[in-house]
Amino acid sequence: MVYENVLITGANGQIGSVLTEYLRGIYGSDHVIASDLKFPEIRNGRFEILDATNAASLAAMVRKYRVTQIYHLAAILSAKGEQNPLETWHINMQTYFNVLEAARENGVKKVFYPSSIAVFGEHVGDEAAQWSYLDPATVYGISKSAGENWSNYYFKRYGLDVRSLRYPGIIGYQSMPGGGTTDYAVDIYHKAVKKEVFECFLNSGTVLPMIYISDAMDATIRLMEAPQQKITVRTSYNLAGMSFSPEEIAASIRKTIPDFSIVYKPDFRQKIADSWPRQIDDAQARNDWAWRPAYNLDKMTEEMISELQKKYQ
Ligand code: NAD
C-alpha cells in the first residue's frame, strides 16, 4: 500500500481546523501533520509549530515526515490584510514560495493552494467568469492572483501538480473566521442563536458569493483526488455555492428564529465587498471534476442554527 503524508500550514484557522479532520479521515491520523504559528486549543493529532515564512523550517518538516501533499492555508485575509499591506504581501507570498520550493526540491506530489474571489475587481461586473480579468482591490487579492500565476508557472515549468480553488466566503459552525470580508455571515448565526442583536458591517443589500463549509471541503477533496488529466485549469478554479445579501440571510434565520434583529453599520469592509462580483460562474469545475454544491441558503441556515444551538446549550 502506498501511503500519503500530508502537511497542512495555517491549520488552526477557520478552514484548517475543519480540513485537518477531513484529511485525517481519509489518510489516517498519523499521516496528517497539522502546523501553525502556535498550538491549537484542542490537540488531537500530529501537530508541529511552523512559521511558513521560514524556508528552512518548512523544508525540514517536509523531509522529516516524507511529505507527499501540502495544503497551504497560511495567509493574512482580505480585511485584516489592509491594516498592513506590505507585511501581508510578504507573508502571503513568502510562505507560498517556500511551499513551492520545498515541494519541488523534495518530490512532493501535490500542492493545494486556496485562492479567493478577492482576485476579482471592479472590471468584472456582476458575474465572474473563469477567465475574467483580474484587477483586485486589496493587497490580499493581489497576493492571491500572483499566487495563482505562480501555481501555473510551477506546473508548466517543473511539472509540480499544484491545484487551486477560488473559495467564496466560507460559512461553518465549527470555527470562527480570521479577518475576511465575508466573516459577518458566520458571526450572524452565533448572535442569532445567542438571541443578541447583530450589528452588520455591510449594507443590507450587499450580495456576495458564499459556500457552506461541507461543500467547500467536498470541492477541495474532489479537486485533489481528480485524475491529473481532468485538471484543465492550473491557475485556480472558480467555485460557487450560493450568493446572498445580509437582508436575505437575516430573512432565512427568521424562518427559525422569528425575533432575530439586525442593524447595519457599514465600515471599511463595504468598499472591499463592493469591489467583488456577486455571482461566480463555476462551469469549468462542474465539467472537469463533477463539482455540485449540496447546500442552498435555507438548508445551510437550518444546519448552522441546529449545530450552534447544541454548542451554546
Ligand atoms: P484564518 O485566518 O482563519 O487562518 C489562517 C491561519 O494561518 C491562522 O491560524 C494563522 O495563525 C496562520 N498563519 C498566519 N501566518 C502564518 C505563518 N507565517 N506561518 C504559519 N501559519 C500562519 O484563514 P482561513 O479562513 O482558515 O483561510 C485559509 C486559507 O483559505 C487562506 O489562504 C485564505 O486566504 C483562504 N481563503 C479563505 C476563505 C474564507 O472564507 N475563510 C475564502 C477564500 C480563501
Side-chain angles (χ1 to χ4, degrees):
M1 179 160 176
V2 181
Y3 287 107
E4 296 288 336
N5 292 317
V6 179
L7 174 66
I8 306 167
T9 69
N12 292 351
Q14 187 200 4
I15 298 177
S17 50
V18 181
L19 183 62
T20 302
E21 295 314 309
Y22 269 78
L23 293 172
R24 287 193 170 135
I26 297 170
Y27 298 111
S29 261
D30 284 351
H31 295 277
V32 176
I33 301 98
S35 73
D36 206 303
L37 295 173
K38 52 183 190 192
F39 286 116
E41 279 164 28
I42 305 161
R43 267 171 75 181
N44 48 11
R46 285 191 166 180
F47 191 95
E48 294 271 1
I49 299 285
L50 175 64
D51 180 345
T53 58
N54 186 323
S57 306
L58 205 152
M61 203 71 73
V62 167
R63 285 193 289 272
K64 177 177 172 189
Y65 290 104
R66 297 194 170 82
V67 168
T68 58
Q69 296 187 35
I70 304 178
Y71 286 70
H72 175 50
L73 306 182
I76 305 300
L77 271 60
S78 58
K80 200 171 164 209
E82 291 306 288
Q83 286 158 19
N84 199 340
L86 295 187
E87 176 74 5
T88 300
W89 172 260
H90 169 70
I91 292 171
N92 291 1
M93 296 317 297
Q94 196 56 54
T95 58
Y96 194 34
F97 288 136
N98 293 344
V99 164
L100 290 170
E101 279 297 280
R104 181 176 78 81
E105 286 175 348
N106 295 286
V108 171
K109 287 189 290 190
K110 282 184 207 168
V111 173
F112 176 70
Y113 179 68
S115 187
S116 163
I117 56 162
V119 296
F120 299 114
E122 58 177 325
H123 288 93
V124 162
D126 271 357
E127 186 176 66
Q130 177 61 50
W131 300 110
S132 282
Y133 183 69
L134 305 184
D135 58 347
T138 57
V139 67
Y140 171 73
I142 299 172
S143 72
K144 289 292 179 185
S145 64
E148 289 187 2
N149 285 322
W150 279 103
S151 307
N152 190 40
Y153 180 88
Y154 268 71
F155 173 69
K156 294 233 162 85
R157 170 106 197 242
Y158 303 115
L160 184 63
D161 190 355
V162 189
R163 303 179 182 198
S164 175
L165 294 173
R166 288 172 180 152
Y167 286 136
I170 294 181
I171 299 163
Y173 58 88
Q174 300 96 326
S175 49
M176 293 306 283
T181 304
T182 52
D183 290 10
Y184 90 85
V186 177
D187 201 21
I188 193 170
Y189 287 110
H190 288 259
K191 295 288 191 308
V193 168
K194 290 195 280 184
K195 304 277 179 202
E196 291 172 20
V197 175
F198 179 62
E199 197 175 287
C200 186
F201 60 71
L202 296 181
N203 277 324
S204 58
T206 310
V207 175
L208 286 175
M210 305 274 185
I211 192 169
Y212 190 49
I213 187 95
S214 56
D215 276 337
M217 295 300 100
D218 177 49
T220 308
I221 306 296
R222 246 172 221 276
L223 169 74
M224 293 303 278
E225 291 192 342
Q228 260 218 59
Q229 67 274 15
K230 295 271 182 198
I231 310 296
T232 63
V233 176
R234 287 295 177 171
T235 48
S236 190
Y237 277 99
N238 273 9
L239 186 73
M242 59 189 94
S243 285
F244 58 79
S245 64
E247 64 192 355
E248 286 166 332
I249 193 173
S252 177
I253 290 172
R254 281 194 201 103
K255 290 179 186 169
T256 315
I257 306 174
D259 56 353
F260 171 64
S261 95
I262 180 167
V263 292
Y264 298 98
K265 290 203 177 146
D267 65 15
F268 73 99
R269 288 168 280 196
Q270 183 66 46
K271 210 171 152 197
I272 301 177
D274 289 342
S275 75
W276 290 353
R278 293 160 170 244
Q279 308 284 342
I280 303 291
D281 176 0
D282 63 357
Q284 194 83 40
R286 288 169 181 258
N287 291 339
D288 286 3
W289 35 275
W291 154 245
R292 300 279 180 285
Y295 284 79
N296 61 20
L297 176 56
D298 282 340
K299 193 173 169 199
M300 173 176 78
T301 297
E302 276 170 35
E303 198 163 305
M304 284 294 289
I305 291 176
S306 84
E307 290 296 332
L308 290 175
Q309 279 171 339
K310 286 183 220 159
K311 194 169 175 168
Y312 287 119
Q313 245 169 23

